[in-house]
Amino acid sequence: GLGVLCGIGIGVVTTKLLLRSKKPEKVQSVPVNQKWEEEDDIIVREQLARAISFLGEEGYMKMKKAFVIVVGVGGVGSHAAHMLVRGGIENIRLIDFDQVTLSSLNRHAVAQRDDVGIPKVEALKNHLLKICPHANIEARKAKFSGEDAAVLLEGNPTFVLDCIDNIETKVALLKFCHTNKIAVLASMGAGARMDPTRIRIADISETQEDPLSRSVRSNLRKCGIGKGIPCVFSVERPCVGLLPTAENVDDPSNYSVLEGFRVRIMPVLGPLPAIFGNAMALYVMSHIAEFPFDPYHINSSIGTRNFFRIIEKLKKREKEVFNERNDGFGMSDYDIRFVVEEIWKGKSAFSESINKLTLTRWDKNKRASPGNLGEDCSR
C-alpha cells in the first residue's frame, strides 16, 4: 500500500544520507560543514523516531539538551547509560575507576572479551559512539569521593545516576547531590536476587528488605538526610550470600580492589542489574522530558489481614453513620484496594502507618466510591 511505499522511501533516503555522512576524518582546524550537520540531524531524528513520537518534540529537545552523569558503570550503570544514549540523551559523563574483567561480562551491557583489561568507561564510550556517533560522551576514569565531588560533578548536570555499590562512596555522592539540590536517582542492591517482579522505585525512606539500603539510610540519617532521594531497589530478600574467602588468605583486605571496598564476591545473575539500569534510564528520561510516571506503590505491609480490617471498618462506618446496608455498599474489594494502594499509597497521611488508615466519605451526602473516599481525621 501507499504507507509501505512511503516507509520504504523514507528508509532509502535515510540510508543514502547515512552512507553520505560517513565522511573521512578531518583536520581539527577545518570547520564542520553545515550541510553535513543538517543531514546528520535527519539521520539522528530517524534513529530516534519512535522515542520522539512518544515524548513529543518538546520532550525530545529537553533530552537532547540535558546533561546526565552516571557514576559507576558496572552491571547497573552500564545498562542505564546504554539506554539513556540510545533513548536520546546526547550529553553524558561516565565515571568509574575500575576496568573490565572476565567476570564483568555476565552483567555488563556492552563489554566484550576484547575489552578485558581496559577501563569500563572507555569500553562503554567506544561502544556507545558506534551506536550514536553524534553523542557527546565523556569518560572519566576516577574513583568518586566527597573531596572530588565538585570536580567530578561539575557542569550543572540535569540528573545524576548513583550506581555505586560501596557504601561510603555512595553516601558521599548522595549527600553531595542532596545538599547541592542536584537531581539524583540511586540504585540499591541488585546482587544475590533473581525475582524481577519485586523491583520497586520509591523514596529512600521506603526501601525494604535490602541490606545496602538499610546501611545507606542509616549513614544518611547521620548526615541529617531522612528522605528526598528516589531509589530503585528490590523487596526480595537476598537468596544467596557472599562467597567465602579462601582458607589460606591471612588478611583478605589485602585483596580488595581499593581500600575500604568489599573483598568477598557477591553472586549476581546478569538480567537483574540490567533491569535495574533500564528502570533508572526510564525514570530519568521521563523526568527530563517532563513526561513523568508515578511509580506503582505496593506496600508489603498491606497483608490480607490489614486489607480486610480496612474493609470491615469502612463497612461498619457506612452502616452506623450513614445507614448503608452492606449488601448495598456499592464498592468492590478491588475499588477499595485501588483507593488504599493508589491514592493513599498504603498508609495513613497522619501517622504514615497502614494500621491507622481509616476511610470515610469526603461528601457525606454522596455514596462511598473511589472518588468519594478519604481518610477519617476525626478519630
Side-chain angles (χ1 to χ4, degrees):
L2 181 59
V4 175
L5 291 174
C6 289
I8 294 173
I10 293 173
V12 171
V13 171
T14 306
T15 301
K16 288 182 177 179
L17 288 174
L18 182 60
L19 291 173
R20 289 176 60 189
S21 69
K22 294 182 179 296
K23 45 191 180 297
E25 294 183 5
K26 51 186 179 297
V27 180
Q28 188 67 32
S29 60
V30 177
V32 177
N33 188 291
Q34 182 65 33
K35 184 178 180 181
W36 285 119
E37 286 185 342
E38 292 173 356
E39 293 183 348
D40 282 349
D41 185 61
I42 295 174
I43 293 170
V44 171
R45 283 180 170 275
E46 176 64 18
Q47 183 172 337
L48 297 171
R50 302 299 177 92
I52 296 172
S53 63
F54 192 107
L55 299 171
E57 181 66 22
E58 187 176 347
Y60 163 64
M61 290 307 296
K62 286 176 180 175
M63 291 218 303
K64 180 182 177 71
K65 296 175 182 177
F67 170 39
V68 177
I69 299 177
V70 181
V71 186
V73 292
V76 174
S78 63
H79 283 277
H82 178 209
M83 293 313 301
L84 283 171
V85 173
R86 276 191 183 273
I89 296 295
E90 292 191 11
N91 304 294
I92 189 167
R93 178 181 298 155
L94 311 172
I95 301 174
D96 200 310
F97 69 90
D98 207 0
Q99 62 187 26
V100 178
T101 63
L102 270 174
S103 65
S104 304
L105 303 186
N106 89 312
R107 59 195 181 280
H108 197 276
V110 301
Q112 306 173 59
R113 283 199 176 184
D114 289 345
D115 295 319
V116 172
I118 71 171
K120 289 180 179 178
V121 290
E122 291 294 340
L124 186 55
K125 176 181 177 179
N126 294 340
H127 186 91
L128 293 179
L129 286 177
K130 293 177 182 178
I131 303 168
C132 302
H134 58 279
N136 175 28
I137 303 173
E138 180 187 358
R140 290 200 187 184
K141 184 177 183 296
K143 174 182 173 292
F144 187 89
S145 67
E147 293 78 12
D148 301 324
V151 174
L152 292 174
L153 302 183
E154 64 186 352
N156 192 28
T158 312
F159 232 106
V160 172
L161 279 72
D162 159 38
C163 303
I164 302 171
D165 57 8
N166 174 263
I167 295 173
E168 181 181 348
T169 311
K170 194 176 197 71
V171 171
L173 172 59
L174 296 177
K175 178 184 176 183
F176 184 88
C177 289
H178 189 274
T179 301
N180 291 278
K181 295 180 171 52
I182 300 173
V184 63
L185 176 64
S187 167
M188 295 300 156
R193 297 167 176 82
M194 64 184 304
D195 187 350
T197 67
R198 299 189 185 221
I199 296 173
R200 305 283 185 266
I201 301 178
D203 189 83
I204 181 75
S205 61
E206 300 179 28
T207 53
Q208 305 168 11
E209 303 293 352
D210 179 22
L212 178 59
S213 299
R214 191 180 307 117
S215 297
V216 172
R217 282 200 315 269
S218 176
N219 281 274
L220 285 174
R221 280 197 296 268
K222 294 175 183 177
C223 303
I225 302 171
K227 57 183 179 180
I229 298 174
C231 302
V232 177
F233 64 101
S234 172
V235 294
E236 178 188 10
R237 293 184 178 181
C239 45
V240 294
L242 293 170
L243 297 183
T245 54
E247 295 181 0
N248 60 345
V249 174
D250 295 329
D251 185 1
S253 63
N254 290 333
Y255 297 86
S256 175
V257 177
L258 288 174
E259 184 178 353
F261 276 60
R262 185 179 63 227
V263 179
R264 294 168 63 191
I265 296 172
M266 172 72 75
V268 182
L269 292 177
L272 210 72
I275 297 172
F276 267 59
N278 282 294
M280 295 183 81
L282 270 174
Y283 183 94
V284 171
M285 288 167 62
S286 70
H287 279 71
I288 290 175
E290 296 186 8
F291 202 117
F293 57 86
D294 185 19
Y296 182 60
H297 184 95
I298 299 180
N299 192 320
S300 62
S301 63
I302 305 179
T304 303
R305 179 183 298 179
N306 276 328
F307 177 62
F308 282 106
R309 176 189 58 78
I310 293 172
I311 292 178
E312 290 306 313
K313 288 176 70 174
L314 176 59
K315 289 183 176 180
K316 181 180 180 181
R317 185 176 182 83
E318 283 290 302
K319 183 178 180 181
E320 294 179 353
V321 178
F322 302 109
N323 297 316
E324 184 78 69
R325 294 175 56 187
N326 284 352
D327 57 358
F329 183 50
M331 286 186 67
S332 67
D333 290 356
Y334 177 84
D335 291 332
I336 299 173
R337 183 173 286 277
F338 175 84
V339 172
V340 172
E341 292 184 348
E342 291 294 302
I343 298 177
W344 291 101
K345 303 301 183 185
K347 58 188 178 183
S348 166
F350 299 97
S351 66
E352 296 192 353
S353 169
I354 182 61
N355 297 319
K356 302 294 184 180
L357 180 59
T358 303
L359 300 177
T360 190
R361 299 182 187 184
W362 286 114
D363 188 338
K364 296 181 180 180
N365 298 317
K366 296 181 179 179
R367 295 189 71 192
S369 68
N372 190 36
L373 272 185
E375 184 174 4
D376 177 21
C377 58
S378 63
R379 62 194 188 288

